[in-house]
Amino acid sequence: LNARMTLDRDFRIAEIDPRIYGSFIEHLGRAVYGGIYEPGHPEADERGFRQDVLRLVRELGVPIVRYPGGNFVSGYNWEDGIGPKEARPRRLELAWRTIETNEFGTNEFMDWVKAAGAQAMMAVNLGTRGIDEARNLVEYCNHPGGTYWSDLRRKHGYEQPHNIKVWCLGNEMDGPWQIGHKTAAEYGRLAQETAKVMKWVDPTIELVSCGSSSAKMPTFPEYEAVSLDFTYDHVDYVSLHQYFGNRSGDTASYLASTLEMDHFIRTVKATCDYIKAKKRSKKTLNLSFDEWNVWFHSNEADKKIEPWSIAPPQLEDIYTFEDALLVGGMLITLLKHSDRVRMACLAQLVNVIAPIMTENGGRAWRQTIFYPFLHASKYGRGIALQPVIDSPKYDTAEFTDVPALESIAVHNPEKDELTVFALNRSLGDALTLKCAIRGFEGYGVLEHLVLEHDDLKAVNGPDGERVKPHAGGRSQMRDGLLEAELPKHSWHVIRLG
Ligand code: AHR
């Protein structure tokens, strides 16, 4: 089958904010303990940071990492995680029913995130706590000195402020599972007052108001409309969260889930713009898609975990090849909306629904989803260009008119490169892509990376990677026409320059 596409240098969506390639580390399962931090591991440095893991994180080029939760943050006392380690309390962690030792806390995370070459996106607890604890944390982290909390940080060995720029006002406050779950109005008022005071402590920070924890929530999008009515003037972003899973074994519908994600983003944009109109505001609110991924493989195993253990293996999804295809499609969807989605976090980064896995005391390895994320983070920097696509379509049990081809292009003027990301999600048909490329005279194919596998359920493990990209994609550029072969169910990165 043929798929036609037109790309033009002038079809600009936006300059992509690199923070769209963010990720997430929560105090959950083995993300921190046994993941990024494992004192005594042969690869651990004197701070306990696993260098094998740090190498993989740096390979992904993650520019921002959200912390410390997630559901965890809604019961967290940040003061438990600072100061001498021997004095830190052990707590019952109610979100994930474990014991939190607090051996790792804010300062350790700031050291780690720096080592990873990234910045922090810090969440405050608006579940059990509120304005006072949030403003104290901003003072502890960002105020230079001469006050109680900033001097305490200095006493803890951090003379210079951490200068954390991005802050989340709570997490998934719309969800009944959340510690301190709130109605939209309850949350809106608390977030408004917290935001106001946090910005009084440090006017340079950016704030994220909580949106819905998925498009399927019964309160979506009313939760956004009601809470943003309170927070709109005080915040810079609203959050979106979305996870997909192939629970019914319907791969055709599963790979089409990006249509739902696209609709979710459009609805949140519209809701923000409705509040903008209502307030006669000049400000346009941006979107922080700060949790997105595939999450379902580990659901049953997680029900069997003994409560009150320390860092058990939780949410350890082992990802298949088809999951990597969907992750590629989700990345394309984020890029299509890069004018408004300015930040996003692949949830999560290590061990917990993650591209990077570890063995306690042992090896670290790349899951299947590592690769599309790596490709987008590496080659998806610059200006997103809107392709005009004419693709064969198909219907699935859950979606109608699903285009077989999903694609986006990114122009990197600094490197003088154009990258076409393409997903052929058809399970039966190869596509021949014929793409007219305008405004890039003299460009030829530099490289054509492909992620493909006959077995949709193929996985990677510590002993080897069954799913990894190769550079043998078939494409050619002639007289401004790119022609590329896209085998059934495959992911492509075609680099032109
Ligand atoms: O990422 C795992 C969990 O998913 C987070 O803790 C929560 O915010 C979401 O429900």
Side-chain angles (χ1 to χ4, degrees), residues 24 26 28 66 69-72 96 171-172 177-178 213 241 243 291 295 315 347-348 352-353:
F24 179 25
E26 176 167 3
L28 157 56
R66 186 165 175 253
N71 298 338
F72 170 81
W96 302 104
N171 175 71
E172 294 190 350
W177 59 85
Q178 201 68 210
S213 38
H241 290 182
Y243 295 98
E291 287 189 33
W295 173 14
L315 279 64
Q348 299 191 9
V352 171
I353 43 174

Side-chain angles (χ1 to χ4, degrees), residues 11 124 271:
F11 293 177
V124 299
T271 309

Side-chain angles (χ1 to χ4, degrees), residues 486-497:
L486 314 180
K488 65 179 183 184
H489 53 70
S490 57
W491 161 257
H492 300 262
V493 183
I494 307 171
R495 297 177 51 226
L496 308 165

